[in-house]
Amino acid sequence: MTIAILIFIGLIIGLNCIPLLTKTTFLKAEIIIVRILIVATILFLTFGAFGLYGYSVKGLYTFSIITWTFIAATILFFALFKNTRRKILTTFLLTPLLVVAGFSLILGQLLYERQIDDKNRISVTTGGFLACGEIINITQTKFVIFDKDVFHIGDLCLEGINKIETIKLDDKQAEFLIYHNGKLDSENPYKYDVERKNGW
């Protein structure tokens, strides 16, 4: 872990030293990069903050695209902009966000989703470092562009989930067949029963 931190710090310092090696300025490119960086940072922080309360932006790759755009714009900012006091201050502010962005691409990424009825969707996300397997969520559309978690299944220890079939869905109960890679559990498809309560 210490080596990874040192490598990351060295990378940040190295990127910021690139402008010292050239006298060329890229004024038009810098204006575009700053605009992209501002927009990407605002979107990343906004959707990240909503994510802390169980709201995820709709779309399988939407948040990933925003995150990659933020990372790319940050790296270009480090590598192309001349080192000034403003840049150094901005670098100290952006570096922690860059770390968070990297982790967000690894943890909690949306892998699969489908509609299960008019109101509810089922989705699969990657688990954390200590998670036994992937996480299944039941979500509902909120504020047009968000999916809100209304039910969470994080203890099944299943990986490589590629399909979830609904075999029963009524007001009291739901039954699902979960297809996975079979590495952590030999039952494939895995049958999961859940009582419908707490708003879904």
Side-chain angles (χ1 to χ4, degrees):
M1 186 67 176
T2 304
I3 295 173
I5 293 171
L6 291 174
I7 291 172
F8 177 76
I9 293 171
L11 182 62
I12 297 298
I13 293 171
L15 287 169
N16 282 284
C17 286
I18 291 174
L20 299 175
L21 304 176
T22 177
K23 294 181 179 180
T24 308
T25 56
F26 307 92
L27 191 58
K28 289 184 178 179
E30 287 180 4
I31 293 170
I32 294 170
I33 290 168
V34 165
R35 289 175 180 173
I36 293 172
L37 182 58
I38 290 171
V39 172
T41 303
I42 291 170
L43 291 175
F44 177 73
L45 288 173
T46 302
F47 293 141
F50 272 94
L52 296 175
Y53 296 96
Y55 292 87
S56 57
V57 65
K58 280 183 169 292
L60 198 57
Y61 303 109
T62 307
F63 190 68
S64 294
I65 291 170
I66 292 169
T67 305
W68 277 114
T69 303
F70 168 74
I71 291 172
T74 301
I75 290 172
L76 288 172
F77 174 79
F78 290 164
L80 297 180
F81 282 64
K82 295 295 182 183
N83 293 325
T84 62
R85 287 183 180 180
R86 180 179 292 181
K87 183 191 173 181
I88 292 170
L89 178 61
T90 306
T91 299
F92 278 110
L93 294 174
L94 289 177
T95 300
L97 289 180
L98 196 60
V99 174
V100 173
F103 278 117
S104 72
L105 290 172
I106 300 170
L107 310 175
Q109 282 300 294
L110 188 62
L111 304 174
Y112 171 88
E113 67 175 348
R114 76 170 184 84
Q115 200 78 27
I116 56 176
D117 61 17
D118 293 338
K119 191 177 180 182
N120 300 288
R121 296 178 68 80
I122 192 164
S123 64
V124 179
T125 59
T126 54
F129 290 120
L130 301 177
C132 181
E134 293 165 351
I135 297 169
I136 299 172
N137 298 295
I138 306 293
T139 63
Q140 295 175 351
T141 298
K142 300 289 183 182
F143 310 118
V144 182
I145 63 168
F146 290 104
D147 286 325
K148 173 73 169 77
D149 288 351
V150 293
F151 188 75
H152 181 84
I153 309 165
D155 57 352
L156 297 185
C157 291
L158 301 177
E159 285 185 348
I161 298 172
N162 53 60
K163 184 181 178 183
I164 300 176
E165 287 183 359
T166 307
I167 56 176
K168 181 180 179 181
L169 186 66
D170 57 33
D171 294 336
K172 296 182 178 180
Q173 190 177 19
E175 278 184 32
F176 301 104
L177 287 179
I178 305 168
Y179 295 83
H180 56 97
N181 61 15
K183 289 183 179 179
L184 299 180
D185 196 301
S186 59
E187 184 183 346
N188 196 8
Y190 183 93
K191 187 177 179 182
Y192 184 75
D193 300 333
V194 59
E195 290 184 17
R196 297 194 68 182
K197 54 183 180 180
N198 298 330
W200 84 277

